[in-house]
Amino acid sequence: MNFDYALSLHGKPKRERFEDPNFNPARANWLGWLCDTLSDQGIASAAPCMQMAWKGDMAQWVRSLELQLYFRRTDSGLVLPMKNWISESPSMHSRIVYIGHSMAAQAYFARLTRLLEFGQRLDSYSDILPKALVLVAPYIDLKEKYTQGEEWRCIDPRLSDVIERIILVHSREDQGGVPESIDYIMGALPSAELVELDGYGHFITGNAMDPDYDLGHDLRGSSFPELIRILETV
């Protein structure tokens, strides 16, 4: 794999799962397996947990993403940049991949679009330009079920110019707004690539994915080797 760092973002969990003290959405489903697998291959990973993620409020998600993905508050109150999360500091020449599940797609697009609109440099120190954006079962809240306001659904077409590859991963039987979301994303970003799979559903453990990965605390996740094969092409 030709990248140095991976940032993985979870989807919207159910409230009862999110409030389980043993449940970590940042490692749920296949995300824990992915982070561990990438680490075994020498690729550092960060996997932030969105605050109040079960609400699906995109304004709150983006604020949480800005605080947790790029900065970390220490016990002494100091705020450290993302580079301190991992053993070696990313540089302006680092190759970083953003990976997201379901509603993470909307959070990523909202964050990156806001950066472009505000005129901020995507390759600046705290917002390092992702080499690729890999979105599994991407979901955009087009019907404003969770978040009102068109600004949270906007996707800047210029993202195709600043991100080398945007890859959408879809399982053909996955419905629930995902096909419509994919059409919406590809309408804004025609160069985005669509990878169609079979039999994965919404890529959720216990749904269409086997609980074959131990997360501890009697929780199980899933392996997702097909995603590694996709990342090997990045």
Side-chain angles (χ1 to χ4, degrees):
M1 284 176 275
N2 190 25
F3 57 94
D4 308 301
Y5 302 96
L7 302 179
S8 302
L9 186 59
H10 61 81
K12 188 186 84 65
K14 294 181 179 179
R15 180 172 184 173
E16 57 269 25
R17 293 203 73 196
F18 187 78
E19 293 180 342
D20 181 343
N22 291 323
F23 175 74
N24 179 2
R27 289 186 60 79
N29 302 311
W30 42 269
L31 290 166
W33 172 86
L34 175 66
C35 287
D36 294 343
T37 300
L38 292 176
S39 295
D40 290 344
Q41 299 190 29
I43 297 173
S45 298
C49 179
M50 297 295 95
Q51 299 172 359
M52 306 292 284
W54 56 270
K55 286 187 174 182
D57 182 328
M58 199 47 53
Q60 193 170 44
W61 271 54
V62 171
R63 285 194 298 270
S64 183
L65 184 62
E66 292 170 344
L67 288 171
Q68 296 192 61
L69 187 58
Y70 300 105
F71 300 96
R72 174 172 62 87
R73 188 173 298 277
T74 67
D75 293 338
S76 62
L78 296 175
V79 175
L80 301 177
M82 181 190 69
K83 68 168 191 170
N84 289 281
W85 284 28
I86 45 188
S87 58
E88 296 183 9
S89 304
S91 70
M92 299 291 285
H93 305 290
S94 297
R95 300 171 74 83
I96 298 180
V97 171
Y98 287 7
I99 303 162
H101 181 216
S102 193
M103 190 171 276
Q106 186 169 353
Y108 278 145
F109 283 131
R111 171 60 177 159
L112 293 170
T113 293
R114 282 160 63 89
L115 287 175
L116 290 180
E117 290 175 349
F118 294 159
Q120 294 175 265
R121 292 177 57 201
L122 281 175
D123 59 353
S124 67
Y125 178 73
S126 61
D127 293 300
I128 300 172
L129 174 68
K131 173 192 177 184
L133 186 58
V134 180
L135 304 172
V136 178
Y139 175 82
I140 307 292
D141 186 18
L142 298 174
K143 296 182 178 180
E144 299 189 348
K145 182 177 180 180
Y146 304 105
T147 303
Q148 283 69 49
E150 184 179 355
E151 68 271 21
W152 300 110
R153 302 191 308 278
C154 288
I155 300 175
D156 195 313
R158 292 175 295 175
L159 290 175
S160 289
D161 299 325
V162 297
I163 300 175
E164 291 180 22
R165 293 182 67 189
I166 298 171
I167 303 173
L168 313 179
V169 183
H170 176 237
S171 188
R172 290 182 177 88
E173 67 278 1
D174 189 13
Q175 300 301 316
V178 172
E180 295 82 359
S181 296
I182 289 174
D183 289 342
Y184 182 81
I185 294 168
M186 299 195 75
L189 306 169
S191 63
E193 305 167 46
L194 178 61
V195 176
E196 294 271 21
L197 303 175
D198 290 304
Y200 285 90
H202 196 57
F203 299 86
I204 294 175
T205 298
N207 183 345
M209 299 187 78
D210 293 333
D212 58 6
Y213 191 73
D214 184 15
L215 297 174
H217 302 287
D218 295 323
L219 298 175
R220 307 287 294 179
S222 298
S223 59
F224 190 3
E226 184 60 41
L227 181 56
I228 292 294
R229 287 190 279 273
I230 292 169
L231 292 173
E232 286 173 344
T233 71
V234 171

